[in-house]
Amino acid sequence: NAGVMQNPRHLVRRRGQEARLRCSPMKGHSHVYWYRQLPEEGLKFMVYLQKENIIDESGMPKERFSAEFPKEGPSILRIQQVVRGDSAAYFCASSPPGTGQFFGPGTRLTVL
Amino acid sequence: QQPVQSPQAVILREGEDAVINCSSSKALYSVHWYRQKHGEAPVFLMILLKGGEQKGHEKISASFNEKKQQSSLYLTASQLSYSGTYFCGTVSLESNTGKLIFGQGTTLQVKP
């Protein structure tokens, strides 16, 4: 039973480019969460999605960041016009309703 | 508002016990505990729901004091593999989306 899958594992972008991070939840999990972790810091909630719906995006920066979880395919976190401050580890987690969340291996984004 | 964890760091010898605390200013629905090793994804340990229960597996257990909005993680007879950063994540009663807010983490180092 495959766990949460994220790709790419490492992503390097130059300032101003776009970054697309993908997350495939565990089989049977309908809830997807995205978190950002800066070096040596804790996990910051970004967005919570269910299929075709954004449930809570209170942690998303107002500009440049967007997320989706289409009916078919993985969840996508999209960062437009990246800046150096976007460099971080981005984790996706999935869960069935009302239980603990299971994290993917993360995508480490480096902005040059 | 972010829950507060204490202590910030702990150093133990193998076989010693440790307690990590997590305190919230908000009324809580649930508390989640995770362990993260450097460069890796957080790993789900357990979830405690409103009701003041205690749970555990192997030598790691936790309690949730609903009246004080506090949870404690107990590590007994620690092993080298317990080293890592422990995060509590809380879901508040006022949240209607179930998003997790994480504490700043407690770094545990177990020495031989």
Side-chain angles (χ1 to χ4, degrees):
Chain A
N1 189 13
V4 178
M5 301 179 70
Q6 289 186 251
N7 67 80
R9 296 288 303 275
H10 299 273
L11 183 61
V12 179
R13 286 287 179 264
R14 296 193 180 278
R15 280 178 297 169
Q17 292 184 319
E18 179 179 288
R20 280 187 180 235
L21 288 60
R22 295 174 188 78
C23 168
S24 296
M26 287 179 71
K27 188 176 180 180
H29 288 189
S30 57
H31 299 234
V32 168
Y33 310 82
W34 286 93
Y35 296 88
R36 176 164 63 178
Q37 188 174 37
L38 294 170
E40 308 305 322
E41 292 191 12
L43 295 146
K44 301 296 184 188
F45 169 81
M46 298 183 75
V47 63
Y48 164 32
L49 310 106
Q50 295 179 19
K51 283 284 187 184
E52 299 185 279
N53 285 306
I54 296 175
I55 306 302
D56 186 338
E57 58 181 347
S58 57
M60 288 277 271
K62 293 289 184 281
E63 297 177 350
R64 302 188 298 108
F65 285 72
S66 62
E68 62 177 3
F69 189 16
K71 187 177 180 181
E72 302 290 338
S75 175
I76 306 280
L77 179 68
R78 183 181 176 207
I79 312 172
Q80 294 177 291
Q81 298 176 314
V82 295
V83 301
R84 288 216 173 105
D86 297 333
S87 295
Y90 291 83
F91 289 99
C92 164
S94 74
S95 76
T99 71
Q101 297 174 21
F102 295 86
F103 281 74
T107 294
R108 271 112 185 125
L109 173 65
T110 302
V111 180
L112 301 177
Chain B
Q1 195 163 352
Q2 186 181 34
V4 176
Q5 290 185 231
S6 63
Q8 287 191 345
V10 184
I11 299 176
L12 299 174
R13 294 280 179 197
E14 266 188 297
E16 292 181 337
D17 301 341
V19 180
I20 300 171
N21 300 302
C22 174
S23 181
S24 175
S25 59
K26 291 178 177 281
L28 297 177
Y29 172 73
S30 64
V31 180
H32 305 220
W33 285 97
Y34 292 81
R35 176 172 60 213
Q36 185 179 31
K37 294 185 182 283
H38 188 70
E40 298 181 10
V43 174
F44 173 69
L45 295 177
M46 65 189 76
I47 179 174
L48 299 105
L49 301 176
K50 178 174 174 291
E53 63 182 275
Q54 182 155 354
K55 295 183 75 172
H57 59 85
E58 296 182 355
K59 296 175 182 175
I60 301 176
S61 62
S63 63
F64 177 21
N65 186 322
E66 189 181 335
K67 288 182 180 177
K68 293 184 178 180
Q69 306 308 324
Q70 289 178 351
S71 178
S72 295
L73 185 71
Y74 306 95
L75 302 136
T76 57
S78 58
Q79 305 168 14
L80 293 176
S81 62
Y82 288 3
S83 293
T85 301
Y86 290 78
F87 292 98
C88 69
T90 58
V91 178
S92 66
L93 280 175
E94 67 185 26
S95 169
N96 57 2
T97 64
K99 73 178 184 186
L100 270 176
I101 305 298
F102 283 93
Q104 80 280 18
T106 295
T107 302
L108 176 70
Q109 185 180 3
V110 181
K111 294 186 173 181

